[in-house]
Amino acid sequence: TVYGLHGALGDEGLSAANVTKIASLKSLISVADAKTALVLNSRIAELTVNDVEEFLACDQTYKGLSQTIQALVDVTQMEKLRSEINAAVKDLDDKKAASAVKTALETADKINIHNLKQSDIDAVETQYNALTDDQKALVTNQGGIAALKAKLKAVVVIDMIEAIKIAPNKVEADKAYEAYSALTAEEKVQVSNYDILEAIRKDFAAQSSANSNGSTGSSDGCGSSVSGLVGVGALMLAAAA
């Protein structure tokens, strides 16, 4: 049967050695198996270095065959291409892994700063650290991890400033400024409401200066009283605001 099929289909896609094998194995394989070998030989013969998916499909098909049918398949072209295909597959895998981390970083960066948790950052960092060096080189936004950590520290200062904005208090304003000063340059950038703290501190400084000028003004009773009233009025206005 096999011999007759081979005679009908010819030697296309088969090496001389495989033609001989078909003749010697004609009693061991079926027509369907012979067709499988012929079709696979044809697919393999057309492979190029750009046919990554087809190469993998042929390789998987070949490995799924019995040893008897494998003996009829010429894998010379596959072996010639294997190193280049493996490099291409690695490149695709690297890009896929890096893309997943880039997406995770972008997603975490979109989380509202007040909802951001340490666990969110840990998850992304663990995913990044699991990459190979080649894959890490493809993550162009890896600095986002440091930015996320900066946000987490900055939010403490942001909340302090928001509280002071509602109820201005010099002691708390000084504490907020100390906390801000302790941040790194990258963390300070994340404090989006620092201008509010700066304005509040300037107001308190102006009030302090006004009070100081009032206490060192005219030595006559009238002058002292007027200066004192101005200072008290400024403080009352600030408190009311």
Side-chain angles (χ1 to χ4, degrees), residues 2-206:
V2 174
Y3 185 82
L5 176 65
H6 172 245
L9 296 178
D11 295 344
E12 184 179 355
L14 294 178
S15 64
N18 278 336
V19 172
T20 302
K21 288 179 182 178
I22 284 183
S24 64
L25 296 171
K26 60 181 181 292
S27 62
L28 302 178
I29 59 176
S30 67
V31 172
D33 288 341
K35 283 184 177 180
T36 298
L38 287 171
V39 171
L40 186 56
N41 271 311
S42 178
R43 290 171 63 190
I44 292 173
E46 295 176 358
L47 287 174
T48 69
V49 70
N50 296 319
D51 302 321
V52 176
E53 295 299 329
E54 176 66 359
F55 178 95
L56 295 176
C58 288
D59 198 33
Q60 183 175 11
T61 299
Y62 175 78
K63 290 176 179 177
L65 299 176
S66 66
Q67 289 183 346
T68 300
I69 307 305
Q70 283 182 351
L72 303 177
V73 179
D74 186 351
V75 294
T76 303
Q77 179 66 359
M78 288 183 66
E79 294 310 314
K80 286 181 180 178
L81 297 174
R82 190 172 296 280
S83 61
E84 292 179 87
I85 293 291
N86 285 343
V89 170
K90 176 183 179 300
D91 184 58
L92 289 173
D93 289 344
D94 286 350
K95 288 178 178 177
K96 183 178 180 180
S99 179
V101 174
K102 288 168 69 175
T103 300
L105 275 166
E106 290 167 0
T107 299
D109 188 52
K110 291 177 183 177
I111 298 175
N112 182 284
I113 193 168
H114 289 92
N115 295 329
L116 183 65
K117 302 184 294 294
Q118 183 63 49
S119 58
D120 297 322
I121 301 173
D122 290 343
V124 177
E125 190 166 27
T126 297
Q127 194 174 351
Y128 175 77
N129 289 337
L131 299 178
T132 65
D133 289 341
D134 288 341
Q135 292 166 349
K136 287 178 180 178
L138 298 174
V139 182
T140 54
N141 59 344
Q142 76 273 17
I145 295 176
L148 289 172
K149 292 179 178 180
K151 281 185 178 182
L152 206 59
K153 289 189 176 182
V155 74
V156 176
V157 179
I158 290 173
D159 289 342
M160 292 175 73
I161 295 173
E162 288 300 309
I164 297 166
K165 183 175 72 173
I166 296 171
N169 180 296
K170 187 177 185 307
V171 174
E172 295 303 318
D174 289 342
K175 287 182 180 179
Y177 181 73
E178 288 178 8
Y180 174 82
S181 298
L183 298 178
T184 65
E186 188 171 17
E187 291 163 353
K188 287 177 179 177
V189 172
Q190 300 296 335
V191 182
S192 56
N193 57 353
Y194 175 70
D195 57 326
I196 295 174
L197 176 61
E198 199 171 24
I200 290 173
R201 294 185 74 244
K202 284 182 179 179
D203 285 344
F204 281 126

